[in-house]
Amino acid sequence: MRSKEVRLNNGIRMPLIGFGTYSYPNNRNTTELAIYNALKMGYRHFDTAKIYGSEPAVGNALNEAIFEGSVEREEIFLTSKLWSSDHHDPVSALKQTLRNLGMEYVDMYLVHWPVNLKPWVNYAVPNEDDFEKLDLETTWAGMEKCLELGLCRCIGVSNFSSKKIEGLLDFASTPPAVNQVEMHPLWRQRKLRETCGHHKIHVSAYSPLGGPGNLWGSRAVVDHPIIQSIALKHKATSAQVALRWALSKGSSVIVKSFNQERMKENIGSFGLRLEDEDMFDFDQLEERKIMRGEFLVNETTSPYKSIEDLWDYEI
């Protein structure tokens, strides 16, 4: 299993394939059953967030498996995220997450977005007057306090551009271990991967299949004719090919499907080997970002007046 893990910049090992638990509408029983099945298949990394609403289901399913003896807590890598309304107090936010999960610690705690919202904004799409000034230095000090208190084993970020990573490193005492971002064959993140690689920050790919089935997702990746042709050549599925592409770039992947056949299919991507000509074909694909983050942009209260501001022109 060591070959299916990555060693992070703090020495901690993280499984290369994570099981995502975002779903809409959120159904606790469905989520718990999916996690139970995922554990049986060998998944050990589980990804949740306050805003997903799945923390109680994730915690209950994992704790039940631990109680039954089918898995030990030390075998599990559990990730959750600081929602944008909690930047003022990451420690309290993580303590609430731990209560939701019924856990003493999470393995990874990520800043979900480089956006600060008012404390009562517990919904995913903020209104225009919900934004507050972002003071990332204070936020990161709170994240480092979470680490110091033993509430988490690693801290990191999500949806950070190269410029935002560089800015964070200007004042961070502890650098982020991970930057979790959208990444797939149609959004290859070359510049960001280079920046993170230079600073030994691991890039983790969310929506590595383009997020089909999500409200904002697309089937553009799995239905792309070039990706399908590569899959046909290897007697694989387009999903396996897309996941193998991300893994070949040194990234981990967060996959989200509660369908048992697709769950098996996704974890089977480890057995696939792509050829140089396949990688060349990937590099020729026209790029398209799917999660653009328009809901975080406005011309009055948001720190980002345009999509280009949000991503620092990496779009």
Side-chain angles (χ1 to χ4, degrees):
M1 288 296 292
R2 284 299 174 97
S3 64
K4 297 177 182 178
E5 297 175 332
V6 59
R7 188 181 181 91
L8 302 174
N9 59 17
N10 55 8
I12 290 172
R13 292 183 174 273
M14 182 178 79
L16 281 168
I17 188 163
F19 189 79
T21 61
Y22 166 81
S23 64
Y24 184 84
N26 183 278
N27 183 290
R28 181 165 178 162
N29 291 336
T30 301
T31 302
E32 289 188 18
L33 179 60
I35 292 169
Y36 174 77
N37 289 327
L39 283 166
K40 287 200 299 182
M41 293 177 197
Y43 287 89
R44 291 297 181 267
H45 180 183
F46 295 88
D47 182 274
T48 183
K50 173 185 174 178
I51 201 63
Y52 298 169
S54 61
E55 287 176 339
V58 171
N60 193 57
L62 293 178
N63 279 311
E64 188 171 322
I66 293 166
F67 179 77
E68 291 174 351
S70 57
V71 68
E72 295 183 7
R73 173 63 182 93
E74 292 73 23
E75 297 176 61
I76 293 166
F77 194 98
L78 181 56
T79 295
S80 195
K81 307 178 189 77
L82 176 80
W83 181 235
S84 298
S85 61
D86 293 321
H87 278 239
H88 62 287
D89 192 354
V91 170
S92 293
L94 180 49
K95 286 180 176 178
Q96 181 58 55
T97 276
L98 294 175
R99 286 191 290 270
N100 292 342
L101 291 164
M103 295 282 182
E104 294 183 357
Y105 66 92
V106 294
D107 298 276
M108 179 70 69
Y109 197 44
L110 304 177
V111 177
H112 206 151
W113 286 93
V115 172
N116 187 21
L117 300 175
K118 292 176 179 175
W120 58 82
V121 184
N122 292 318
Y123 38 88
V125 180
N127 300 311
E128 191 167 341
D129 59 354
D130 288 339
F131 292 84
E132 292 192 339
K133 183 179 179 181
L134 177 64
D135 178 3
L136 194 56
E137 190 166 354
T138 298
T139 300
W140 195 249
M143 296 291 286
E144 291 176 334
K145 187 68 175 177
C146 290
L147 193 63
E148 180 186 329
L149 292 171
L151 304 177
C152 56
R153 298 171 69 218
C154 311
I155 52 176
V157 295
S158 180
N159 298 300
F160 271 51
S161 66
S162 294
K163 182 178 178 180
K164 289 180 176 63
I165 287 288
E166 298 279 8
L168 173 59
L169 292 172
D170 283 344
F171 54 76
S173 298
T174 301
V178 162
N179 186 14
Q180 189 185 113
V181 294
E182 178 186 346
M183 179 178 155
H184 46 72
L186 300 186
W187 192 248
R188 296 185 286 278
Q189 295 279 20
R190 181 175 178 177
K191 180 181 179 182
L192 185 65
R193 286 188 284 112
E194 289 175 354
T195 300
C196 289
H198 177 72
H199 295 292
K200 296 181 172 56
I201 298 168
H202 176 72
V203 175
S204 186
Y206 74 71
S207 298
L209 307 179
N214 292 341
L215 286 175
W216 52 268
S218 168
R219 292 192 58 85
V221 175
V222 292
D223 287 348
H224 197 286
I226 299 298
I227 297 174
Q228 289 183 333
S229 69
I230 294 171
L232 185 63
K233 179 174 75 170
H234 290 285
K235 297 180 180 178
T237 66
S238 55
Q240 288 173 327
V241 165
L243 294 175
R244 186 67 245 181
W245 172 84
L247 293 167
S248 74
K249 295 298 183 182
S251 299
S252 55
V253 293
I254 307 297
V255 292
K256 199 249 100 184
S257 176
F258 291 176
N259 177 284
Q260 289 193 58
E261 288 305 311
R262 287 196 290 272
M263 288 162 63
K264 291 176 185 175
E265 177 185 318
N266 291 340
I267 210 167
S269 60
F270 283 117
L272 180 62
R273 291 294 175 267
L274 298 175
E275 300 168 356
D276 289 344
E277 63 179 318
D278 301 326
M279 302 307 286
F280 177 82
D281 289 342
F282 281 123
D283 286 340
Q284 310 314 305
L285 298 179
E286 183 178 354
E287 295 206 60
R288 171 192 169 192
K289 183 165 178 55
I290 297 170
M291 169 56 90
R292 292 171 58 82
E294 289 95 340
F295 59 97
L296 297 175
V297 171
N298 68 63
E299 295 185 355
T300 54
T301 57
S302 172
Y304 310 113
K305 310 309 177 189
S306 68
I307 291 292
E308 290 76 17
D309 281 347
L310 176 59
W311 302 109
D312 298 304
Y313 288 84
E314 289 180 21
I315 193 159

